Amino acid sequence: MPESKTNDTSPRKGIYLLPNLLTTAGLFSGFFAIVSSMNGRFEAAAVAIFIAMIFDGLDGRVARLTNTQSEFGAQYDSMSDMLSFGIAPALVAYNWGLAEYGKFGWLAAFIYVACAALRLARFNANLGVTDGRFFQGLASPAAAAIIAGMVWSGSIYQVDGDNIGYLVGLLTIVIGLLMVSNFRYNSFKDLNWRDRVSFLTILMVVLIFVVIAARPAEMLFGIFFIYACSGPVTTIRSVRKLKLEHVLGDSDDADFADADKEAKAADSATKDDSKSL
């Protein structure tokens, strides 16, 4: 008896309005960020990138909830991500603090764009193969958030990006390289949002929202900057000996998986020894 088609979770053919409408909104936000930076409206450009992140987080979830996943939607989302989190942040950073630095300026922006393209291509190629609990390399929306947070904070404090162009370029290059690195970043996909939590947890969530709302530029930049720094720490803790393939180049996820198995085996052995005492 053939399997029921209702169990098929692979993307289907066709174009569905709602998820692709959200993807289009994210694409528009990324394009708006580019245009705003060209007109010198850097704060609006940075905010537009964060708005694109919101739409990017919604389109996939809405597609899964409404069972409207499609191959077209997946490809369209990838193209939108390239503009909103690859090209837009690089051009915003370039127009804000790199335009006056000649080759260094446009090369720093290009390195970011190229790394974002490589990051998205590798993610699409390895989809369904890698460990879902972790991202291989810094996710492009998080990288874009760091660039946007830097520009937004600088605009609020009236910092002329041209005066710190080398710092802007160095940060842009480093963030770009983190995207194509093999550092492992927690994806938080293993969190169960349906679990019951204590009242104190809800109170802490409310306080976090209040703090972010009070200083959105600085807080968002700080949060994503710390997240970017967490990748090397997570990687170093997950392997017994750090090698080049753990940082850059071709990486076999089984290497990390073996390290995780060894750590779990060691933990279980410790628990068994404690029980026997």
Side-chain angles (χ1 to χ4, degrees):
M1 182 177 180
E3 283 188 29
S4 174
K5 293 183 179 180
T6 57
N7 294 329
D8 186 9
T9 57
S10 60
R12 294 171 292 175
K13 294 182 179 180
I15 300 175
Y16 297 95
L17 178 61
L18 184 56
N20 290 299
L21 186 63
L22 294 172
T23 303
T24 303
L27 181 66
F28 174 82
S29 299
F31 182 76
F32 180 81
I34 296 173
V35 174
S36 296
S37 70
M38 293 172 61
N39 294 325
R41 300 174 57 206
F42 297 109
E43 185 174 352
V47 172
I49 291 176
F50 281 106
I51 293 175
M53 290 178 60
I54 295 175
F55 286 118
D56 180 65
L58 287 175
D59 58 4
R61 287 169 174 79
V62 169
R64 287 188 292 271
L65 286 173
T66 58
N67 196 26
T68 54
Q69 305 102 311
S70 67
E71 183 63 28
F72 175 87
Q75 297 301 324
Y76 186 33
D77 180 66
S78 183
M79 297 300 102
S80 175
D81 288 350
M82 182 58 210
L83 176 73
S84 299
F85 309 130
I87 299 175
L91 289 180
V92 170
Y94 177 81
N95 291 326
W96 184 63
L98 297 174
E100 301 297 326
Y101 286 79
K103 288 184 179 180
F104 172 77
W106 66 261
L107 283 174
F110 173 73
I111 289 173
Y112 181 92
V113 172
C115 290
L118 291 170
R119 169 69 175 81
L120 289 168
R122 183 175 66 178
F123 176 81
N124 291 337
N126 294 337
L127 194 64
V129 177
T130 56
D131 189 347
R133 299 172 302 166
F134 298 97
F135 291 128
Q136 183 183 2
L138 182 64
S140 57
I146 295 174
I147 302 298
M150 172 185 65
V151 175
W152 191 1
S153 300
S155 300
I156 289 176
Y157 290 100
Q158 298 181 347
V159 176
D160 189 351
D162 293 334
N163 294 334
I164 56 171
Y166 284 113
L167 181 61
V168 174
L170 180 61
L171 181 63
T172 303
I173 292 172
V174 170
I175 295 302
L177 293 177
L178 283 176
M179 282 192 285
V180 295
S181 71
N182 290 331
F183 290 133
R184 301 208 304 174
Y185 288 87
N186 199 317
S187 66
F188 303 105
K189 292 181 179 180
D190 55 345
L191 291 178
N192 190 351
W193 299 100
R194 298 182 180 181
D195 278 350
R196 293 185 179 183
V197 296
S198 64
F199 178 79
L200 181 61
T201 302
I202 296 297
L203 181 60
M204 290 299 296
V205 171
V206 172
L207 291 177
I208 290 172
F209 274 106
V210 170
V211 172
I212 294 176
R215 292 281 188 177
E218 300 92 325
M219 290 301 301
L220 289 173
F221 174 73
I223 289 171
F224 284 101
F225 186 83
I226 293 173
Y227 178 70
C229 295
S230 70
V233 176
T234 302
T235 302
I236 292 172
R237 292 181 59 185
S238 64
V239 296
R240 292 193 299 178
K241 184 179 179 180
L242 188 66
K243 301 178 182 178
L244 178 61
E245 56 265 28
H246 297 143
V247 179
L248 198 64
D250 293 333
S251 174
D252 187 359
D253 288 328
D255 189 17
F256 291 113
D258 291 341
D260 290 340
K261 290 178 181 178
E262 290 178 3
K264 291 179 180 179
D267 291 340
S268 61
T270 303
K271 290 180 181 178
D272 291 339
D273 291 340
S274 62
K275 289 180 180 179
S276 61
L277 293 177

